PDB file of all heavy atoms in Angstrom:
ATOM      1  N   THR W  78      31.681  11.532  32.477  1.00  0.00           N
ATOM      2  CA  THR W  78      32.912  11.692  31.706  1.00  0.00           C
ATOM      3  C   THR W  78      33.047  10.577  30.681  1.00  0.00           C
ATOM      4  O   THR W  78      33.426  10.817  29.538  1.00  0.00           O
ATOM      5  CB  THR W  78      34.140  11.733  32.638  1.00  0.00           C
ATOM      6  OG1 THR W  78      34.003  12.843  33.525  1.00  0.00           O
ATOM      7  CG2 THR W  78      35.434  11.843  31.860  1.00  0.00           C
ATOM      8  N   PHE W  79      32.697   9.359  31.082  1.00  0.00           N
ATOM      9  CA  PHE W  79      32.757   8.219  30.165  1.00  0.00           C
ATOM     10  C   PHE W  79      31.841   8.455  28.962  1.00  0.00           C
ATOM     11  O   PHE W  79      32.239   8.252  27.811  1.00  0.00           O
ATOM     12  CB  PHE W  79      32.380   6.930  30.890  1.00  0.00           C
ATOM     13  CG  PHE W  79      32.453   5.711  30.027  1.00  0.00           C
ATOM     14  CD1 PHE W  79      33.669   5.167  29.667  1.00  0.00           C
ATOM     15  CD2 PHE W  79      31.293   5.110  29.558  1.00  0.00           C
ATOM     16  CE1 PHE W  79      33.741   4.038  28.849  1.00  0.00           C
ATOM     17  CE2 PHE W  79      31.344   3.991  28.747  1.00  0.00           C
ATOM     18  CZ  PHE W  79      32.566   3.449  28.396  1.00  0.00           C
ATOM     19  N   VAL W  80      30.629   8.916  29.220  1.00  0.00           N
ATOM     20  CA  VAL W  80      29.682   9.202  28.139  1.00  0.00           C
ATOM     21  C   VAL W  80      30.240  10.301  27.236  1.00  0.00           C
ATOM     22  O   VAL W  80      30.159  10.211  26.006  1.00  0.00           O
ATOM     23  CB  VAL W  80      28.295   9.587  28.702  1.00  0.00           C
ATOM     24  CG1 VAL W  80      27.389  10.165  27.624  1.00  0.00           C
ATOM     25  CG2 VAL W  80      27.633   8.375  29.355  1.00  0.00           C
ATOM     26  N   SER W  81      30.822  11.335  27.830  1.00  0.00           N
ATOM     27  CA  SER W  81      31.414  12.419  27.036  1.00  0.00           C
ATOM     28  C   SER W  81      32.531  11.901  26.139  1.00  0.00           C
ATOM     29  O   SER W  81      32.628  12.285  24.964  1.00  0.00           O
ATOM     30  CB  SER W  81      31.963  13.519  27.945  1.00  0.00           C
ATOM     31  OG  SER W  81      30.923  14.191  28.588  1.00  0.00           O
ATOM     32  N   LEU W  82      33.378  11.038  26.677  1.00  0.00           N
ATOM     33  CA  LEU W  82      34.469  10.476  25.873  1.00  0.00           C
ATOM     34  C   LEU W  82      33.921   9.655  24.714  1.00  0.00           C
ATOM     35  O   LEU W  82      34.397   9.771  23.582  1.00  0.00           O
ATOM     36  CB  LEU W  82      35.400   9.627  26.745  1.00  0.00           C
ATOM     37  CG  LEU W  82      36.340  10.411  27.639  1.00  0.00           C
ATOM     38  CD1 LEU W  82      36.968   9.508  28.692  1.00  0.00           C
ATOM     39  CD2 LEU W  82      37.413  11.098  26.814  1.00  0.00           C
ATOM     40  N   CYS W  83      32.928   8.807  24.991  1.00  0.00           N
ATOM     41  CA  CYS W  83      32.321   8.015  23.911  1.00  0.00           C
ATOM     42  C   CYS W  83      31.742   8.927  22.840  1.00  0.00           C
ATOM     43  O   CYS W  83      31.944   8.698  21.640  1.00  0.00           O
ATOM     44  CB  CYS W  83      31.223   7.107  24.465  1.00  0.00           C
ATOM     45  SG  CYS W  83      31.812   5.726  25.443  1.00  0.00           S
ATOM     46  N   ARG W  84      31.045   9.961  23.265  1.00  0.00           N
ATOM     47  CA  ARG W  84      30.408  10.883  22.332  1.00  0.00           C
ATOM     48  C   ARG W  84      31.453  11.627  21.505  1.00  0.00           C
ATOM     49  O   ARG W  84      31.369  11.666  20.277  1.00  0.00           O
ATOM     50  CB  ARG W  84      29.527  11.865  23.110  1.00  0.00           C
ATOM     51  CG  ARG W  84      28.716  12.794  22.232  1.00  0.00           C
ATOM     52  CD  ARG W  84      27.809  13.718  23.030  1.00  0.00           C
ATOM     53  NE  ARG W  84      28.577  14.514  23.971  1.00  0.00           N
ATOM     54  CZ  ARG W  84      28.364  14.553  25.281  1.00  0.00           C
ATOM     55  NH1 ARG W  84      27.418  13.838  25.828  1.00  0.00           N
ATOM     56  NH2 ARG W  84      29.104  15.315  26.060  1.00  0.00           N
ATOM     57  N   GLU W  85      32.456  12.197  22.156  1.00  0.00           N
ATOM     58  CA  GLU W  85      33.463  12.987  21.446  1.00  0.00           C
ATOM     59  C   GLU W  85      34.341  12.132  20.542  1.00  0.00           C
ATOM     60  O   GLU W  85      34.730  12.559  19.459  1.00  0.00           O
ATOM     61  CB  GLU W  85      34.324  13.786  22.429  1.00  0.00           C
ATOM     62  CG  GLU W  85      33.567  14.828  23.213  1.00  0.00           C
ATOM     63  CD  GLU W  85      32.854  15.864  22.360  1.00  0.00           C
ATOM     64  OE1 GLU W  85      33.339  16.194  21.249  1.00  0.00           O
ATOM     65  OE2 GLU W  85      31.801  16.350  22.789  1.00  0.00           O
ATOM     66  N   LEU W  86      34.648  10.921  20.977  1.00  0.00           N
ATOM     67  CA  LEU W  86      35.483  10.028  20.174  1.00  0.00           C
ATOM     68  C   LEU W  86      34.669   9.242  19.148  1.00  0.00           C
ATOM     69  O   LEU W  86      35.232   8.472  18.370  1.00  0.00           O
ATOM     70  CB  LEU W  86      36.262   9.072  21.086  1.00  0.00           C
ATOM     71  CG  LEU W  86      37.298   9.743  21.980  1.00  0.00           C
ATOM     72  CD1 LEU W  86      37.846   8.756  23.002  1.00  0.00           C
ATOM     73  CD2 LEU W  86      38.415  10.372  21.167  1.00  0.00           C
ATOM     74  N   GLU W  87      33.342   9.436  19.180  1.00  0.00           N
ATOM     75  CA  GLU W  87      32.426   8.763  18.264  1.00  0.00           C
ATOM     76  C   GLU W  87      32.621   7.253  18.273  1.00  0.00           C
ATOM     77  O   GLU W  87      32.820   6.613  17.242  1.00  0.00           O
ATOM     78  CB  GLU W  87      32.549   9.336  16.848  1.00  0.00           C
ATOM     79  CG  GLU W  87      32.176  10.796  16.772  1.00  0.00           C
ATOM     80  CD  GLU W  87      32.296  11.383  15.378  1.00  0.00           C
ATOM     81  OE1 GLU W  87      33.162  10.908  14.598  1.00  0.00           O
ATOM     82  OE2 GLU W  87      31.533  12.305  15.084  1.00  0.00           O
ATOM     83  N   THR W  88      32.548   6.705  19.482  1.00  0.00           N
ATOM     84  CA  THR W  88      32.694   5.266  19.657  1.00  0.00           C
ATOM     85  C   THR W  88      31.664   4.796  20.668  1.00  0.00           C
ATOM     86  O   THR W  88      30.990   5.596  21.308  1.00  0.00           O
ATOM     87  CB  THR W  88      34.134   4.920  20.096  1.00  0.00           C
ATOM     88  OG1 THR W  88      34.321   3.523  19.983  1.00  0.00           O
ATOM     89  CG2 THR W  88      34.417   5.385  21.513  1.00  0.00           C
ATOM     90  N   ASP W  89      31.539   3.498  20.804  1.00  0.00           N
ATOM     91  CA  ASP W  89      30.597   2.979  21.779  1.00  0.00           C
ATOM     92  C   ASP W  89      31.328   2.494  23.033  1.00  0.00           C
ATOM     93  O   ASP W  89      32.560   2.428  23.068  1.00  0.00           O
ATOM     94  CB  ASP W  89      29.710   1.887  21.179  1.00  0.00           C
ATOM     95  CG  ASP W  89      30.472   0.643  20.765  1.00  0.00           C
ATOM     96  OD1 ASP W  89      31.673   0.543  21.067  1.00  0.00           O
ATOM     97  OD2 ASP W  89      29.866  -0.226  20.149  1.00  0.00           O
ATOM     98  N   ALA W  90      30.559   2.198  24.048  1.00  0.00           N
ATOM     99  CA  ALA W  90      31.125   1.790  25.332  1.00  0.00           C
ATOM    100  C   ALA W  90      31.975   0.527  25.213  1.00  0.00           C
ATOM    101  O   ALA W  90      33.038   0.438  25.821  1.00  0.00           O
ATOM    102  CB  ALA W  90      29.998   1.582  26.352  1.00  0.00           C
ATOM    103  N   ASP W  91      31.511  -0.457  24.438  1.00  0.00           N
ATOM    104  CA  ASP W  91      32.272  -1.708  24.296  1.00  0.00           C
ATOM    105  C   ASP W  91      33.676  -1.469  23.770  1.00  0.00           C
ATOM    106  O   ASP W  91      34.628  -2.096  24.219  1.00  0.00           O
ATOM    107  CB  ASP W  91      31.550  -2.694  23.369  1.00  0.00           C
ATOM    108  CG  ASP W  91      30.346  -3.342  24.025  1.00  0.00           C
ATOM    109  OD1 ASP W  91      30.275  -3.346  25.269  1.00  0.00           O
ATOM    110  OD2 ASP W  91      29.480  -3.844  23.296  1.00  0.00           O
ATOM    111  N   ALA W  92      33.803  -0.564  22.830  1.00  0.00           N
ATOM    112  CA  ALA W  92      35.124  -0.292  22.254  1.00  0.00           C
ATOM    113  C   ALA W  92      36.076   0.253  23.305  1.00  0.00           C
ATOM    114  O   ALA W  92      37.247  -0.141  23.350  1.00  0.00           O
ATOM    115  CB  ALA W  92      35.005   0.680  21.088  1.00  0.00           C
ATOM    116  N   LEU W  93      35.592   1.144  24.168  1.00  0.00           N
ATOM    117  CA  LEU W  93      36.468   1.704  25.198  1.00  0.00           C
ATOM    118  C   LEU W  93      36.678   0.729  26.349  1.00  0.00           C
ATOM    119  O   LEU W  93      37.788   0.580  26.851  1.00  0.00           O
ATOM    120  CB  LEU W  93      35.903   3.016  25.737  1.00  0.00           C
ATOM    121  CG  LEU W  93      35.897   4.193  24.779  1.00  0.00           C
ATOM    122  CD1 LEU W  93      35.443   5.453  25.501  1.00  0.00           C
ATOM    123  CD2 LEU W  93      37.246   4.420  24.139  1.00  0.00           C
ATOM    124  N   LEU W  94      35.620   0.067  26.780  1.00  0.00           N
ATOM    125  CA  LEU W  94      35.723  -0.822  27.940  1.00  0.00           C
ATOM    126  C   LEU W  94      36.485  -2.106  27.647  1.00  0.00           C
ATOM    127  O   LEU W  94      37.334  -2.519  28.428  1.00  0.00           O
ATOM    128  CB  LEU W  94      34.327  -1.180  28.460  1.00  0.00           C
ATOM    129  CG  LEU W  94      33.521  -0.048  29.058  1.00  0.00           C
ATOM    130  CD1 LEU W  94      32.091  -0.515  29.312  1.00  0.00           C
ATOM    131  CD2 LEU W  94      34.164   0.458  30.346  1.00  0.00           C
ATOM    132  N   TRP W  95      36.165  -2.747  26.536  1.00  0.00           N
ATOM    133  CA  TRP W  95      36.682  -4.086  26.276  1.00  0.00           C
ATOM    134  C   TRP W  95      37.510  -4.205  25.009  1.00  0.00           C
ATOM    135  O   TRP W  95      38.045  -5.268  24.722  1.00  0.00           O
ATOM    136  CB  TRP W  95      35.518  -5.083  26.198  1.00  0.00           C
ATOM    137  CG  TRP W  95      34.530  -4.901  27.292  1.00  0.00           C
ATOM    138  CD1 TRP W  95      33.245  -4.471  27.166  1.00  0.00           C
ATOM    139  CD2 TRP W  95      34.729  -5.113  28.692  1.00  0.00           C
ATOM    140  NE1 TRP W  95      32.643  -4.407  28.396  1.00  0.00           N
ATOM    141  CE2 TRP W  95      33.526  -4.801  29.348  1.00  0.00           C
ATOM    142  CE3 TRP W  95      35.822  -5.537  29.452  1.00  0.00           C
ATOM    143  CZ2 TRP W  95      33.374  -4.888  30.732  1.00  0.00           C
ATOM    144  CZ3 TRP W  95      35.672  -5.628  30.835  1.00  0.00           C
ATOM    145  CH2 TRP W  95      34.463  -5.315  31.454  1.00  0.00           C
ATOM    146  N   GLY W  96      37.579  -3.156  24.199  1.00  0.00           N
ATOM    147  CA  GLY W  96      38.345  -3.228  22.960  1.00  0.00           C
ATOM    148  C   GLY W  96      37.605  -3.894  21.833  1.00  0.00           C
ATOM    149  O   GLY W  96      38.184  -4.227  20.809  1.00  0.00           O
ATOM    150  N   THR W  97      36.300  -4.102  21.989  1.00  0.00           N
ATOM    151  CA  THR W  97      35.474  -4.710  20.963  1.00  0.00           C
ATOM    152  C   THR W  97      34.855  -3.600  20.141  1.00  0.00           C
ATOM    153  O   THR W  97      33.910  -2.948  20.583  1.00  0.00           O
ATOM    154  CB  THR W  97      34.340  -5.566  21.597  1.00  0.00           C
ATOM    155  OG1 THR W  97      34.923  -6.480  22.500  1.00  0.00           O
ATOM    156  CG2 THR W  97      33.549  -6.290  20.546  1.00  0.00           C
ATOM    157  N   ALA W  98      35.392  -3.367  18.975  1.00  0.00           N
ATOM    158  CA  ALA W  98      34.912  -2.267  18.129  1.00  0.00           C
ATOM    159  C   ALA W  98      33.565  -2.604  17.529  1.00  0.00           C
ATOM    160  O   ALA W  98      33.371  -3.679  16.985  1.00  0.00           O
ATOM    161  CB  ALA W  98      35.923  -1.966  17.045  1.00  0.00           C
ATOM    162  N   GLN W  99      32.650  -1.682  17.659  1.00  0.00           N
ATOM    163  CA  GLN W  99      31.337  -1.770  17.027  1.00  0.00           C
ATOM    164  C   GLN W  99      31.202  -0.547  16.126  1.00  0.00           C
ATOM    165  O   GLN W  99      31.674   0.521  16.469  1.00  0.00           O
ATOM    166  CB  GLN W  99      30.225  -1.749  18.087  1.00  0.00           C
ATOM    167  CG  GLN W  99      30.315  -2.864  19.100  1.00  0.00           C
ATOM    168  CD  GLN W  99      30.065  -4.225  18.496  1.00  0.00           C
ATOM    169  OE1 GLN W  99      29.247  -4.361  17.608  1.00  0.00           O
ATOM    170  NE2 GLN W  99      30.786  -5.223  18.964  1.00  0.00           N
ATOM    171  N   PRO W 100      30.545  -0.686  14.991  1.00  0.00           N
ATOM    172  CA  PRO W 100      30.368   0.492  14.146  1.00  0.00           C
ATOM    173  C   PRO W 100      29.547   1.551  14.870  1.00  0.00           C
ATOM    174  O   PRO W 100      28.589   1.212  15.552  1.00  0.00           O
ATOM    175  CB  PRO W 100      29.627  -0.036  12.918  1.00  0.00           C
ATOM    176  CG  PRO W 100      29.217  -1.415  13.228  1.00  0.00           C
ATOM    177  CD  PRO W 100      29.930  -1.872  14.457  1.00  0.00           C
ATOM    178  N   PHE W 101      29.985   2.784  14.731  1.00  0.00           N
ATOM    179  CA  PHE W 101      29.263   3.883  15.370  1.00  0.00           C
ATOM    180  C   PHE W 101      28.078   4.233  14.490  1.00  0.00           C
ATOM    181  O   PHE W 101      28.231   4.624  13.352  1.00  0.00           O
ATOM    182  CB  PHE W 101      30.180   5.100  15.549  1.00  0.00           C
ATOM    183  CG  PHE W 101      29.533   6.194  16.335  1.00  0.00           C
ATOM    184  CD1 PHE W 101      29.371   6.054  17.697  1.00  0.00           C
ATOM    185  CD2 PHE W 101      29.086   7.337  15.720  1.00  0.00           C
ATOM    186  CE1 PHE W 101      28.771   7.053  18.437  1.00  0.00           C
ATOM    187  CE2 PHE W 101      28.488   8.340  16.451  1.00  0.00           C
ATOM    188  CZ  PHE W 101      28.329   8.205  17.809  1.00  0.00           C
ATOM    189  N   GLY W 102      26.909   4.067  15.011  1.00  0.00           N
ATOM    190  CA  GLY W 102      25.701   4.372  14.249  1.00  0.00           C
ATOM    191  C   GLY W 102      24.514   3.669  14.854  1.00  0.00           C
ATOM    192  O   GLY W 102      24.581   3.114  15.943  1.00  0.00           O
ATOM    193  N   THR W 103      23.441   3.665  14.168  1.00  0.00           N
ATOM    194  CA  THR W 103      22.170   3.061  14.562  1.00  0.00           C
ATOM    195  C   THR W 103      21.928   3.182  16.059  1.00  0.00           C
ATOM    196  O   THR W 103      21.732   4.272  16.556  1.00  0.00           O
ATOM    197  CB  THR W 103      22.090   1.601  14.079  1.00  0.00           C
ATOM    198  OG1 THR W 103      23.163   0.842  14.597  1.00  0.00           O
ATOM    199  CG2 THR W 103      22.105   1.539  12.571  1.00  0.00           C
ATOM    200  N   ALA W 104      21.940   2.068  16.784  1.00  0.00           N
ATOM    201  CA  ALA W 104      21.622   2.108  18.216  1.00  0.00           C
ATOM    202  C   ALA W 104      22.639   2.922  18.997  1.00  0.00           C
ATOM    203  O   ALA W 104      22.281   3.691  19.886  1.00  0.00           O
ATOM    204  CB  ALA W 104      21.553   0.692  18.763  1.00  0.00           C
ATOM    205  N   ALA W 105      23.921   2.769  18.659  1.00  0.00           N
ATOM    206  CA  ALA W 105      24.950   3.523  19.377  1.00  0.00           C
ATOM    207  C   ALA W 105      24.762   5.019  19.167  1.00  0.00           C
ATOM    208  O   ALA W 105      24.932   5.807  20.097  1.00  0.00           O
ATOM    209  CB  ALA W 105      26.345   3.103  18.924  1.00  0.00           C
ATOM    210  N   GLN W 106      24.402   5.422  17.969  1.00  0.00           N
ATOM    211  CA  GLN W 106      24.183   6.847  17.706  1.00  0.00           C
ATOM    212  C   GLN W 106      23.055   7.370  18.580  1.00  0.00           C
ATOM    213  O   GLN W 106      23.157   8.464  19.134  1.00  0.00           O
ATOM    214  CB  GLN W 106      23.854   7.070  16.227  1.00  0.00           C
ATOM    215  CG  GLN W 106      23.607   8.529  15.865  1.00  0.00           C
ATOM    216  CD  GLN W 106      24.853   9.374  15.983  1.00  0.00           C
ATOM    217  OE1 GLN W 106      25.937   8.905  15.695  1.00  0.00           O
ATOM    218  NE2 GLN W 106      24.703  10.598  16.418  1.00  0.00           N
ATOM    219  N   GLY W 107      22.009   6.596  18.737  1.00  0.00           N
ATOM    220  CA  GLY W 107      20.902   7.014  19.581  1.00  0.00           C
ATOM    221  C   GLY W 107      21.309   7.162  21.032  1.00  0.00           C
ATOM    222  O   GLY W 107      20.863   8.067  21.733  1.00  0.00           O
ATOM    223  N   MET W 108      22.182   6.272  21.507  1.00  0.00           N
ATOM    224  CA  MET W 108      22.607   6.328  22.904  1.00  0.00           C
ATOM    225  C   MET W 108      23.692   7.356  23.137  1.00  0.00           C
ATOM    226  O   MET W 108      23.668   8.078  24.114  1.00  0.00           O
ATOM    227  CB  MET W 108      23.136   4.958  23.353  1.00  0.00           C
ATOM    228  CG  MET W 108      22.065   3.919  23.493  1.00  0.00           C
ATOM    229  SD  MET W 108      22.699   2.404  24.229  1.00  0.00           S
ATOM    230  CE  MET W 108      23.809   1.834  22.974  1.00  0.00           C
ATOM    231  N   TRP W 109      24.684   7.420  22.247  1.00  0.00           N
ATOM    232  CA  TRP W 109      25.857   8.243  22.494  1.00  0.00           C
ATOM    233  C   TRP W 109      25.920   9.485  21.616  1.00  0.00           C
ATOM    234  O   TRP W 109      26.924  10.171  21.602  1.00  0.00           O
ATOM    235  CB  TRP W 109      27.134   7.435  22.266  1.00  0.00           C
ATOM    236  CG  TRP W 109      27.216   6.216  23.101  1.00  0.00           C
ATOM    237  CD1 TRP W 109      27.145   4.933  22.659  1.00  0.00           C
ATOM    238  CD2 TRP W 109      27.371   6.131  24.513  1.00  0.00           C
ATOM    239  NE1 TRP W 109      27.239   4.069  23.712  1.00  0.00           N
ATOM    240  CE2 TRP W 109      27.394   4.766  24.856  1.00  0.00           C
ATOM    241  CE3 TRP W 109      27.502   7.075  25.526  1.00  0.00           C
ATOM    242  CZ2 TRP W 109      27.528   4.331  26.161  1.00  0.00           C
ATOM    243  CZ3 TRP W 109      27.639   6.628  26.835  1.00  0.00           C
ATOM    244  CH2 TRP W 109      27.647   5.284  27.129  1.00  0.00           C
ATOM    245  N   GLY W 110      24.873   9.751  20.848  1.00  0.00           N
ATOM    246  CA  GLY W 110      24.871  10.905  19.954  1.00  0.00           C
ATOM    247  C   GLY W 110      25.131  12.197  20.713  1.00  0.00           C
ATOM    248  O   GLY W 110      24.997  12.276  21.923  1.00  0.00           O
TER     249      GLY W 110
END
């Protein structure tokens, strides 16, 4: 469910877990695409 939320919200885990926004793309796109 966590992965689905990251994917649908187009965000990375750090942004949801800790509030540290990272740009969605490059490595995050590969993991959460």
